[in-house]
């Protein structure tokens, strides 16, 4: 007894500072949002980089291969669009480093202006472009941001559904389907389409800031102006990534604000704090300013290039059918190989037409219509919204997209309505989370108190594992061609041959070493003047081609031998000496300098 008392007294006599930090650190490490952030990051690294090789081996008894052999020399996808988007990240950082001077008039697409607006600008990622330089750093940067985009999508989905009222496992399922739904891997070369996390996170923060959830409605005492302004800032960041995903988000956020105002008016105008009102005004104005600024830029591009709007017939070429809802893209690990025939039957651009959100998700959401923590009215509204979203995603093959095309500015510039499947995916996740939370509570209630938490997890966690398994990818990481030595020796402005939508994406990536002004450039917009230069350069070094280059001030032409063979540009390799240009062979490639 004396020894025990002495021990107790000794412990009591220890300074508080010696005991509290470990406890605080331990509590912090166990905090829900620390765990959620860490889980989102670890899950993204595991799903994209680590787990799939072993899953491939288990499923096919094949050889385990690393997903990324060298993250500074290989890039996700086919090496085409990802190379162009790696250039975008680098250019945004380059422009930011120089005070945004010449932001929209990039080094590529010369002499066209507003080249950055030929694609989604990815301006929100500009700070990442401040670090590193050259193609190697651009590739590494892209690979890191690619993984972080999945992590943020998971975290955003988790935060939103948690705020709505689901439990942790239910929210994890919603985050998993929002980040790893099979259809998303059809866009493994489109970072702008995969970067959706800011959408869910902004809505979650705005809901938290306004003290609103599905389970409790509006609670004035739960309002947090700081969260509201944070939500608006995240929304601004999301819209700055581009209108490919941001345009529907902007319209839906505006509609949500209008619905909130109407709801406030018809429910007796409950008191709103002055700070919350100011936060909404400031945040709403910031979002409107960012959206208006981008709209102004893209409208300017339309003025310069009237062919930019898409025709209804053109959109029909990229519109999915109902079959797309049960078809996965090739990089889907569980379903990609099985659905090869279904994709082949889709014709052109099958990756834009595969819409599989997940068979497990369909089952969970379907059951969630009948058993859930959400009210019957909420479930009906969610179901109706899902149906509307799916009909819109079908584009010209559905009855509703025509109204977006005709009456909402901006949609006539989008060619791929299938990307609207993002919104049904999110709502299906909300329904699934309601079911899982309901099942967890029932399991806990049916168990002894000391086993309630374990029983709830036994019911819910296997469902999360099934959803994650169905969302596993098998992504290609292809080597990126090394820039030719002749390019480093060329004097800008310059042009690289051949020039087409394939090679120009690699040339853009190569140009991150100094960003020389060049004619080359590939984007969703091809201007007539740009194509005319490409066509004329098939005759280089003919007098007409030289005259056009001199008119533009072009001083060098680089010919990449292994890419030009088999193309209409191939005769330039054996062109006889021509007055006005000097030829120099540098390794296997050729550098022409205009005298």
């Amino acid at each position: 007894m004396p020894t025990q008392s002495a021990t107790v007294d000794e412990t009591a006599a220890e300074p508080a500072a010696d005991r509290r930090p470990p406890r605080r650190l331990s509590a912090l490490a166990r905090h829900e949002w620390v765990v959620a952030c860490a889980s989102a990051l670890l899950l993204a690294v595991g799903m994209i980089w680590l787990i799939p090789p072993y899953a491939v081996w288990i499923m096919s008894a094949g050889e385990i291969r690393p997903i990324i052999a060298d993250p500074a020399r290989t890039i996700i996808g086919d090496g085409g669009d990802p190379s162009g988007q790696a250039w975008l990240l680098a250019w945004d950082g380059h422009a930011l480093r120089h005070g945004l001077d010449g932001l929209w008039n990039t080094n590529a697409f010369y002499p066209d202006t507003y080249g950055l607006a030929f694609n989604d600008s990815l301006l929100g990622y500009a700070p990442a472009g401040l670090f590193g330089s050259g193609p190697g750093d651009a590739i590494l940067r892209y690979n890191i941001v690619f993984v972080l985009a999945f992590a943020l999508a998971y975290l955003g989905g988790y935060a939103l559904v948690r705020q709505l009222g689901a439990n942790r496992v239910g929210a994890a399922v919603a985050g998993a389907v929002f980040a790893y739904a099979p259809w998303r891997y059809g866009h493994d070369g489109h970072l702008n389409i995969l970067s959706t996390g800011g959408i869910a996170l902004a809505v979650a923060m705005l809901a938290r800031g306004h003290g609103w959830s599905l389970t409790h409605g509006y609670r004035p005492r739960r309002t947090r102006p700081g969260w509201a302004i944070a939500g608006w800032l995240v929304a601004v960041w999301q819209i700055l990534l581009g209108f490919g995903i941001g345009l529907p988000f902007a319209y839906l956020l505006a509609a949500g604000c209008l619905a909130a105002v109407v709801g406030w008016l018809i429910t007796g105008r409950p008191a709103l704090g002055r700070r919350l009102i100011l936060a909404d005004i400031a945040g709403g104005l910031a979002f409107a300013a960012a959206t208006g600024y981008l709209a102004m830029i893209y409208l300017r591009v339309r003025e310069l290039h009237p062919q930019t709007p898409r025709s209804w017939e053109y959109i029909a070429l990229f519109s999915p059918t109902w079959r797309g809802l049960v078809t996965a893209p090739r990089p889907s690990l569980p379903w990609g190989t099985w659905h090869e025939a279904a994709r082949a039957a889709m014709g052109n651009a099958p990756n834009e037409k595969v819409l599989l959100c997940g068979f497990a998700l369909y089952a969970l959401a379907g059951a969630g219509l009948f058993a859930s923590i959400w009210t019957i009215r909420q479930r009906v509204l969610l179901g109706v919204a899902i149906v509307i979203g799916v009909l819109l995603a079908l584009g010209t093959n559905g009855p509703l997209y025509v109204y977006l095309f005709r009456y909402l500015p901006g949609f006539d510039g989008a060619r791929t309505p299938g990307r609207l499947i993002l919104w049904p995916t999110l709502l299906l996740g909300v329904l699934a989370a309601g079911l899982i939370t309901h099942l967890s509570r029932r399991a806990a209630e049916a168990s002894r108190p000391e086993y309630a938490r374990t029983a709830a997890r036994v019911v819910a966690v296997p469902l999360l594992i099934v959803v994650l398994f169905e969302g596993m990818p098998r992504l290609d990481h292809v080597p990126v061609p090394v820039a030719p030595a002749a390019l480093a020796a060329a004097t800008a402005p310059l042009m690289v041959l051949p020039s087409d939508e394939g090679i120009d994406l690699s040339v853009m990536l190569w140009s991150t070493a100094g960003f020389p002004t060049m004619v080359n450039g590939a984007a969703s917009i091809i201007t007539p003047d740009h194509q005319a230069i490409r066509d004329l350069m098939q005759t280089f070094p003919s007098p007409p081609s030289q005259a056009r280059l001199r008119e533009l001030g072009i001083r060098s032409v680089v010919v990449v031998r292994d890419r030009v063979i088999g193309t209409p540009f191939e005769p330039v390799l054996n062109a006889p000496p021509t007055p006005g240009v000097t030829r120099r062979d540098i390794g296997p490639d050729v550098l022409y300098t205009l005298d």
Side-chain angles (χ1 to χ4, degrees), residues 376-448:
I376 294 177
R377 180 188 177 191
Q378 289 168 346
R379 281 177 263 165
V380 170
L381 290 175
L382 285 170
V384 170
I386 289 168
V387 171
I388 292 174
V390 168
L391 292 175
L392 289 171
L394 296 178
T396 61
N397 294 315
L400 300 181
Y401 189 79
V402 63
Y403 298 104
L404 300 185
F405 180 78
R406 289 179 180 174
Y407 302 116
L408 288 187
F411 277 97
D412 60 347
R415 64 174 181 170
T416 50
R419 296 172 181 180
L420 292 174
I421 197 64
L422 166 72
W423 303 96
T425 303
L426 181 58
L427 298 179
L428 286 166
V430 174
L431 274 177
L435 170 71
I436 290 173
T437 304
H438 170 77
L439 294 178
S440 299
R441 291 179 181 177
R442 293 293 295 273
E445 291 168 358
S447 305
R448 295 171 57 181

Side-chain angles (χ1 to χ4, degrees), residues 220-237:
R221 293 185 179 181
R222 293 294 187 101
T223 57
R224 299 290 186 272
W227 280 106
I229 196 67
W232 284 113
L233 291 177
V234 172
V236 169
W237 175 81

Side-chain angles (χ1 to χ4, degrees), residues 422-513:
L422 166 72
W423 303 96
T425 303
L426 181 58
L427 298 179
L428 286 166
V430 174
L431 274 177
L435 170 71
I436 290 173
T437 304
H438 170 77
L439 294 178
S440 299
R441 291 179 181 177
R442 293 293 295 273
E445 291 168 358
S447 305
R448 295 171 57 181
E450 61 269 28
Y451 300 122
R453 180 176 296 182
T454 300
R457 290 175 178 172
V458 167
V459 169
V461 171
L463 299 176
L464 171 61
I465 293 173
V466 170
V467 169
L468 286 172
F469 174 76
E470 191 172 17
M472 291 177 63
R474 179 167 52 186
L475 299 170
D476 294 325
H477 285 253
V478 299
V480 176
V482 177
L487 182 61
T491 302
L494 58 88
M495 185 171 185
V496 176
L497 299 181
S499 178
D500 56 39
E501 294 305 291
I503 180 65
D504 278 6
L505 292 166
S506 295
V507 176
M508 291 164 75
L509 179 60
W510 297 338
S511 78
T512 58

Side-chain angles (χ1 to χ4, degrees), residues 4 45 131 150 154 159 210 252 269 292 313 365 393-394 418 485 535:
Q4 184 177 3
V45 171
F131 304 96
F150 280 87
Y154 171 89
H210 291 81
L252 287 171
R269 301 183 182 182
E313 292 73 23
L394 296 178
D535 295 340

Side-chain angles (χ1 to χ4, degrees), residues 26-222:
S26 176
L28 179 63
R30 294 194 304 270
H31 191 280
E32 177 181 358
W33 295 108
V34 173
V35 173
C37 291
S39 300
L41 182 58
L42 293 175
L43 183 61
V45 171
M47 292 286 279
I48 305 302
W49 285 357
L50 302 179
I51 297 176
Y54 296 93
V56 171
W57 178 76
I58 292 171
M59 294 179 69
S60 63
E63 179 183 356
I64 299 178
R65 60 180 177 84
I67 281 294
I68 295 184
D70 187 342
R73 291 183 175 84
T74 62
I75 202 163
I76 295 169
D78 61 4
D81 287 340
S83 294
Q85 298 211 325
W87 166 81
L88 272 173
L89 297 179
W91 173 260
D92 289 341
H94 172 79
L96 184 60
R97 191 181 295 115
H98 292 83
L100 298 180
D101 182 37
L103 168 67
W104 295 99
N105 297 323
T106 67
N107 71 302
F109 305 103
Y110 180 79
D112 285 327
T113 55
Y114 294 96
L116 187 61
F118 291 175
N119 288 300
D120 278 340
S121 65
L122 295 178
L123 274 177
Y125 288 131
L130 294 174
F131 304 96
S133 62
D137 288 339
I139 297 167
L140 179 60
R141 180 189 305 114
Y142 177 87
N143 284 327
I144 292 173
V145 172
F146 185 90
V147 172
L148 292 179
F150 280 87
L152 185 60
Y154 171 89
L155 183 63
Y158 178 95
L160 175 57
V161 178
R162 193 77 171 102
Q163 174 62 29
L164 295 180
N167 67 5
R168 296 187 183 189
V169 180
V173 168
V177 301
F178 193 57
Y180 303 104
W183 68 265
R184 285 170 58 86
Y185 300 119
H187 300 281
D188 58 356
H190 301 147
L191 180 61
N192 55 325
I193 305 304
L194 296 174
S195 299
T196 57
I199 293 174
L201 189 61
V203 177
M205 289 178 166
L206 287 170
R208 186 175 182 84
H210 291 81
W212 186 86
S213 68
L214 279 180
T215 49
H216 297 100
Y218 172 60
R219 292 183 288 178
R221 293 185 179 181
R222 293 294 187 101

